[in-house]
């Protein structure tokens, strides 16, 4: 289903605004202290955004820290990563808690402790089709970028032949 979040300029972006493309959505928060968690996820997204830059897919990173990760914080932290990529977008859930809950519930991504500043979360990345239907999940952070790249290309081929 659709969800609306804020880009680095505080503009509201709905997932459906991104056209008829595929969406590869990862969740993180800027203050993540675990290098093999959120930061590692960024490296994987960066690789995929580079490799699939000519495909009809957006790589979207949504911060689920709806209290701290304002668009300004997201911009300070990730602007340099996003600046040269048209297919990679960082979004804030600040003041968009209902949309965040709706999307995370549908994608079975769990997070907790934001109000207590003791954040925990599972790791789940999702691939959504042009019709905003969930196509594939990647749990944890052990998935390999080459496997995901092949999955995306194969899924796109399957959908284009229908």
């Amino acid at each position: 289903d659709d969800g609306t979040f804020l880009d680095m300029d505080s503009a509201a972006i709905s997932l459906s605004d991104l056209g008829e493309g595929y969406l590869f959505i990862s969740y993180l928060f800027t203050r993540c202290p675990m290098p093999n968690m959120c930061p590692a996820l960024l490296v994987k997204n960066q690789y995929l955004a580079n490799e699939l830059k000519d495909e009809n897919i957006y790589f979207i990173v949504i911060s689920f820290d709806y209290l701290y990760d304002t668009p300004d914080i997201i911009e300070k932290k990730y602007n340099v990563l996003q600046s040269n990529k048209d297919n990679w977008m960082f979004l804030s859930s600040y003041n968009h808690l209902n949309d965040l809950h709706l999307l995370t519930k549908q994608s079975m991504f769990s997070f907790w402790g934001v109000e207590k500043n003791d954040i925990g979360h599972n790791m789940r990345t999702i691939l959504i089709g042009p019709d905003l239907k969930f196509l594939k999940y990647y749990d944890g952070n052990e998935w390999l970028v080459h496997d995901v790249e092949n999955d995306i290309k194969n899924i796109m081929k399957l959908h284009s032949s229908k």
Side-chain angles (χ1 to χ4, degrees):
D1 221 7
D2 207 3
T4 301
F5 302 95
L6 299 173
D7 70 9
M8 291 181 185
D9 297 321
S10 297
I13 302 283
S14 295
L15 298 180
S16 60
D17 291 342
L18 299 174
E20 297 298 312
Y22 292 79
L23 307 176
F24 190 78
I25 300 176
S26 300
Y27 302 98
L28 56 62
F29 67 113
T30 62
R31 299 179 291 169
C32 182
M34 309 289 292
N36 63 334
M37 301 278 282
C38 298
L41 197 60
L42 286 175
V43 172
K44 290 180 176 190
N45 270 271
Q46 184 174 29
Y47 173 86
L48 289 167
N50 281 335
E51 292 300 305
L52 297 168
K53 65 181 175 289
D54 297 326
E55 301 292 339
N56 190 18
I57 185 167
Y58 276 101
F59 294 87
I60 299 173
V61 177
I62 299 174
S63 170
F64 60 86
D65 186 347
Y66 52 88
L67 294 178
Y68 180 81
D69 284 343
T70 63
D72 283 345
I73 298 283
I74 298 279
E75 181 179 30
K76 283 184 182 83
K77 184 92 175 176
Y78 302 126
N79 187 43
V80 70
L81 289 175
Q82 181 182 298
S83 62
N84 61 349
K85 305 231 181 345
D86 293 333
N87 64 341
W88 199 15
M89 184 178 299
F90 291 84
L91 299 176
S92 167
S93 59
Y94 186 74
N95 285 337
H96 287 269
L97 185 56
N98 288 344
D99 292 293
L100 178 66
H101 278 304
L102 185 65
L103 184 62
T104 57
K105 185 175 179 186
Q106 289 173 339
S107 57
M108 291 181 270
F109 172 79
S110 302
F111 65 95
W112 53 91
V114 173
E115 284 90 1
K116 297 179 180 129
N117 199 22
D118 184 23
I119 295 175
H121 64 97
N122 69 351
M123 298 286 285
R124 173 163 272 208
T125 298
I126 55 175
L127 178 63
I128 298 178
D131 51 4
L132 294 182
K133 295 272 191 287
F134 290 88
L135 299 175
K136 188 144 183 159
Y137 301 93
Y138 298 94
D139 283 325
N141 59 351
E142 302 300 315
W143 51 268
L144 302 174
V145 290
H146 296 292
D147 294 342
V148 172
E149 182 183 356
N150 287 333
D151 283 350
I152 290 170
K153 287 178 178 177
N154 289 333
I155 287 169
M156 289 174 136
K157 271 186 209 148
L158 275 172
H159 278 259
S160 67
S161 65
K162 286 183 180 176

